Amino acid sequence: MKNKIKVSIIAPVYNDEKHIGKLLESLQKQNYPENLIEIIIIDNNSTDRTRKIVKQYPVKLLEEKNIQSSYAARNKGIEYAKGKILAFIDSDCIANRDWISEGVAALQTNSADLVGGKVEFYFSKKKTAAEYYDSITHFNMEKSIRERGSTGTGNLFVWHKVFKKLGRFPDNVQSGGDYQWTSTATINGFLLVYAENVIVKHPARTLKELLKKRYRIGGGRFHVWRKEKKPLLKIVGRLIRWCVPPHPTSIKKMAYKTGRPVTFKKMIKIWMITYLCKITYILGILAPMFNFLSFNKNRLKT
């Protein structure tokens, strides 16, 4: 590895007393020089024990009280970060012991501006159908980087200077701001690469957590489409097509493609969850779309 560089780890958190301690434990055990690591946790108005837990660790605790958005929280962390490299991770993740060293090495050896790493799922003892669905459909960073030139902040390394040139994350969205920003970076000529050795682990979600995420992602998708000035009629047409239930064979192919074969009974449950998540995603898109239409209608009246 080349010369060691100071790294600022940035993690937003909101009411995550269940996981934040595990994240901080994993960050304390990194095989990267301790004096070159800065850990910044940004609390986004938690009402549980999150802040009390964070204060037990030698990290910098900031607060973002004005805007309820993980991207606003990350922006607060960027503002205070002193490292030349910024490493982003979610509060419910666990970093591999070599996460920082591998992330820094990937930036240097690839002469990259951004590096998206691998997110591995871990399951509860029961391995529910919802958990299987989550692991099949989410956090495929390699595919997102290869096909769309964008990735998420669940496992992302970026040179600090990139933010100085492009600005920070959009903080007016609840979901998708990281994909918007990384896409803007690649469009402007910055190199984003995938590194499979840069690994964090994420718990597979319950059905309730899945639906909340799909609804939030739907809202973020509408804001992306508005930014792209996609015609509303095209959006409506796409939503109508998405209302069609998924074909069972597509679920089977997805499951086996990931190397996680499941029973027929669980396959049916996954199919039902898939359709429920699709409808929830559509509802997530419709909510801000109706607000947008209502706002513009009222503005025309005045």
Side-chain angles (χ1 to χ4, degrees):
M1 183 184 291
K2 298 180 182 180
N3 294 331
K4 295 294 178 80
I5 300 168
K6 184 163 185 174
V7 178
S8 294
I9 301 169
I10 296 174
V13 62
Y14 171 68
N15 284 348
D16 200 8
E17 62 182 13
K18 180 180 178 181
H19 298 107
I20 190 64
K22 295 177 183 178
L23 167 65
L24 294 173
E25 288 291 339
S26 71
L27 296 180
Q28 300 298 311
K29 298 175 182 177
Q30 293 295 301
N31 63 3
Y32 201 76
E34 185 178 347
N35 65 314
L36 294 177
I37 298 176
E38 177 186 41
I39 302 173
I40 303 174
I41 307 297
I42 311 94
D43 182 72
N44 199 196
N45 295 310
S46 294
T47 56
D48 62 359
R49 297 179 57 252
T50 293
R51 283 195 297 273
K52 291 182 179 179
I53 295 172
V54 174
K55 288 178 181 179
Q56 298 173 12
Y57 294 85
V59 303
K60 180 180 291 185
L61 175 60
L62 305 177
E63 294 184 12
E64 172 51 60
K65 296 182 178 181
N66 298 323
I67 305 175
Q68 195 63 41
S69 163
S70 63
Y71 303 110
R74 291 184 181 97
N75 288 341
K76 176 84 71 171
I78 295 170
E79 180 184 347
Y80 283 85
K82 295 182 174 63
K84 287 188 176 182
I85 293 174
L86 306 185
F88 295 91
I89 190 169
D90 290 342
S91 63
D92 54 357
C93 287
I94 299 173
N96 271 20
R97 189 170 182 272
D98 59 357
W99 177 61
I100 297 177
S101 58
E102 289 289 350
V104 172
L107 279 172
Q108 293 179 318
T109 56
N110 292 285
S111 297
D113 301 296
L114 308 89
V115 166
K118 184 178 184 180
V119 179
E120 295 181 345
F121 285 90
Y122 65 90
F123 302 86
S124 66
K125 292 180 181 180
K126 292 183 179 180
K127 290 187 179 180
T128 65
E131 290 178 325
Y132 270 107
Y133 173 83
D134 191 25
S135 67
I136 292 167
T137 57
H138 293 125
F139 287 127
N140 191 336
M141 304 304 201
E142 181 178 15
K143 181 179 180 181
S144 180
I145 291 172
R146 182 180 67 250
E147 296 183 1
R148 297 191 293 272
S150 63
T151 190
T153 43
N155 187 0
L156 177 67
F157 284 74
V158 185
W159 289 102
H160 201 157
K161 62 185 178 182
V162 179
F163 283 97
K164 293 179 180 178
K165 293 180 180 179
L166 285 183
R168 297 169 188 165
F169 295 111
D171 59 13
N172 60 338
V173 295
Q174 294 297 315
S175 182
D178 43 5
Y179 286 88
Q180 288 183 44
W181 188 87
T182 52
S183 176
T184 299
T186 55
I187 289 172
N188 281 274
F190 291 99
L191 177 61
L192 166 64
V193 300
Y194 173 74
E196 64 178 0
N197 294 328
V198 183
I199 301 171
V200 303
K201 294 179 173 60
H202 188 282
R205 297 178 180 88
T206 64
L207 179 58
K208 182 179 178 180
E209 292 168 338
L210 264 177
L211 296 180
K212 286 176 66 176
K213 180 178 177 62
R214 296 306 297 172
Y215 187 85
R216 189 175 69 249
I217 291 176
R221 173 52 57 186
F222 177 75
H223 289 297
V224 170
W225 284 340
R226 289 307 305 156
K227 184 178 180 181
E228 295 173 349
K229 298 182 179 179
K230 190 177 292 292
L232 284 175
L233 284 178
K234 285 192 175 182
I235 294 176
V236 172
R238 183 171 294 186
L239 296 183
I240 292 173
R241 291 194 298 273
W242 284 350
C243 287
V244 177
H247 197 283
T249 57
S250 65
I251 307 301
K252 183 177 180 180
K253 288 179 180 178
M254 272 200 302
Y256 280 88
K257 189 176 181 180
T258 63
R260 300 185 183 94
V262 296
T263 64
F264 178 77
K265 183 178 179 180
K266 187 158 286 187
M267 193 75 69
I268 296 299
K269 289 182 179 179
I270 293 175
W271 179 88
M272 295 172 65
I273 290 170
T274 301
Y275 192 43
L276 185 58
C277 285
K278 280 184 69 175
I279 297 302
T280 306
Y281 179 69
I282 291 169
L283 292 174
I285 295 172
L286 289 174
M289 186 170 80
F290 285 144
N291 288 337
F292 171 79
L293 292 173
S294 176
F295 173 77
N296 282 277
K297 182 179 179 181
N298 292 334
R299 190 171 62 175
L300 288 173
K301 286 182 178 179
T302 57

